[in-house]
Amino acid sequence: MRAARLIKMVLLLQSRPSMTAAELARELEVSERTVTRDAQALSEAGVPVYADRGRAGGYRLIGGYRTRLTGLARSEAEALFLSGVPGALREMGLEDAASAARLKVSAALLPSLRDASRTASQRFHLDAPSWFDEPKTPELLPAVADAVWDDRRIVARYRRRDTEVERELEPYGLVLKAGVWYLCAHVPSSSDGGGSSSGGGGGGSFRTYRIDRFLAVDADGDRFTRDEEFDLPAYWDEQTERFARSILHAEVVVRLSAEGVRRLPHVVDPVSARDALTAAVGAPDGHGRTTVTLRVESEEVAHTQLTALGAEAEVLAPEGLRERFAADARRLAGLYETP
């Protein structure tokens, strides 16, 4: 355990100019006192770790010290080759760069580990799009991806409902969701509009755009300075949950069996299911059923979704939806009556 932690500490210091004891402790999941002891152990082993004292102090490597990748274990090497998404890299126009990087990493590995890329790719494969869907790669994706990597402003013209809109965007990151590519971008206040939004620092806001709706992209803009506080995974999680909640306009009251409770997140929106089950008051009734209030898009959508639960769910309200399920039950009973 300690040897792996020491290697990680060296790699962290190698990737940054310096790090404080608190930052290293957080990354290594140890105490600051342990960081101090580990730094001393590395220094005694000949690794030139230097400690700067004072409020702005920290740890850094001196003398251009670099370690090699020959310390990788097989599981680590295979996980490294699994970290890429070949299809996504190809769509962004990065397949050649990724291939060159894999060759360089392979060349640096011990001979006994150089088959790691093959063993990993033959055991795991990511197929991002959903079933029965053949998404097309947006024609403008490579240009947008180049701008994201280069922190370069773009001017994008895109479809918004029945109109065309042009915006200057600062492209921060790309997300591939169920075969659909999205751009998360900062829109300066002078060009604010369109997309789904979240507040951003320095004026303007962060917004999300479907790249397949872009009609034209001019990627010859100036470079912009990224907001270092922006966290792409956290932003995306926030946006997806906000969107999920925004489309839930109706409520239904449902009595669920224990099996219905278990299956509910698989047939309705997971956010809605989580909220409903968290807010459920009291223990199950004498029949082992739990009553929940569920937010849904509409009664029509709720009818389609809750039908999948069959007898594990009983709709109590609204009355119109309950009557639809009662009518369904009568029709089914008629179909399955013994001749």
Side-chain angles (χ1 to χ4, degrees):
M1 278 291 291
R2 192 189 186 197
R5 190 175 71 242
L6 292 174
I7 291 173
K8 185 176 180 180
M9 183 174 181
V10 172
L11 292 173
L12 286 168
L13 293 174
Q14 184 175 299
S15 65
R16 307 179 193 181
S18 68
M19 295 182 70
T20 66
E23 289 171 336
L24 284 167
R26 185 166 56 251
E27 291 281 356
L28 299 171
E29 299 181 347
V30 295
S31 67
E32 293 186 31
R33 181 173 296 180
T34 298
V35 168
T36 301
R37 288 198 296 265
D38 285 352
Q40 180 64 33
L42 287 171
S43 181
E44 291 173 357
V47 178
V49 178
Y50 182 78
D52 292 314
R53 305 297 179 186
R55 180 181 297 178
Y59 293 93
R60 59 187 174 89
L61 295 174
I62 59 175
Y65 180 85
R66 308 289 293 179
T67 187
R68 297 181 179 273
L69 288 173
T70 50
L72 284 175
R74 169 166 291 277
S75 60
E76 294 169 332
E78 291 175 340
L80 175 64
F81 285 105
L82 277 176
S83 63
V85 186
L89 292 171
R90 182 173 57 253
E91 292 179 5
M92 288 189 291
L94 297 174
E95 186 175 27
D96 290 344
S99 177
R102 286 192 292 269
L103 286 173
K104 290 178 181 179
V105 172
S106 294
L109 293 173
L110 291 172
S112 61
L113 299 180
R114 287 178 185 166
D115 66 340
S117 62
R118 184 184 60 79
T119 58
S121 65
Q122 292 304 313
R123 286 166 174 78
F124 299 97
H125 174 67
L126 175 64
D127 185 9
S130 57
W131 284 102
F132 315 116
D133 189 15
E134 296 183 6
K136 296 181 179 179
T137 302
E139 183 178 340
L140 297 171
L141 177 60
V144 176
D146 285 345
V148 169
W149 282 112
D150 208 23
D151 292 340
R152 192 175 293 278
R153 291 185 179 89
I154 64 173
V155 176
R157 181 162 52 88
Y158 63 95
R159 294 190 306 275
R160 190 174 71 184
R161 302 184 183 90
D162 297 327
T163 62
E164 293 184 9
V165 181
E166 188 171 276
R167 293 282 180 262
E168 181 184 272
L169 307 175
E170 296 174 352
Y172 269 65
L174 293 167
V175 175
L176 177 61
K177 170 74 171 180
V180 179
W181 283 96
Y182 295 87
L183 172 67
C184 302
H186 181 257
V187 187
S189 55
S190 60
S191 185
D192 204 357
S196 59
S197 65
S198 177
S205 59
F206 285 101
R207 293 181 177 268
T208 305
Y209 300 86
R210 279 185 60 146
I211 295 180
D212 59 6
R213 293 179 182 166
F214 282 8
L215 302 173
V217 171
D218 179 355
D220 294 329
D222 298 330
R223 285 189 172 86
F224 65 91
T225 301
R226 294 177 67 91
D227 179 358
E228 296 301 329
E229 298 297 318
F230 179 78
D231 183 331
L232 180 60
Y235 168 82
W236 182 256
D237 288 345
E238 176 189 341
Q239 290 298 295
T240 52
E241 182 158 335
R242 179 180 299 178
F243 172 76
R245 294 182 190 280
S246 71
I247 63 174
L248 305 177
H249 302 297
E251 287 187 349
V252 298
V253 181
V254 188
R255 184 183 290 133
L256 300 166
S257 67
E259 178 64 11
V261 168
R262 187 188 70 81
R263 289 167 50 189
L264 186 67
H266 302 288
V267 300
V268 303
D269 182 85
V271 173
S272 176
R274 185 181 68 232
D275 289 350
L277 295 174
T278 300
V281 179
D285 62 21
H287 300 286
R289 291 186 168 250
T290 302
T291 300
V292 301
T293 300
L294 188 69
R295 295 183 65 209
V296 295
E297 278 188 66
S298 64
E299 288 188 24
E300 185 68 34
V301 171
H303 178 256
T304 301
Q305 293 175 333
L306 295 176
T307 295
L309 293 179
E312 307 302 333
E314 177 191 359
V315 173
L316 303 180
E319 186 62 30
L321 184 59
R322 180 179 174 86
E323 289 175 358
R324 289 185 67 174
F325 275 99
D328 289 347
R330 288 191 293 270
R331 288 178 62 200
L332 283 171
L335 288 174
Y336 289 100
E337 278 183 348
T338 302

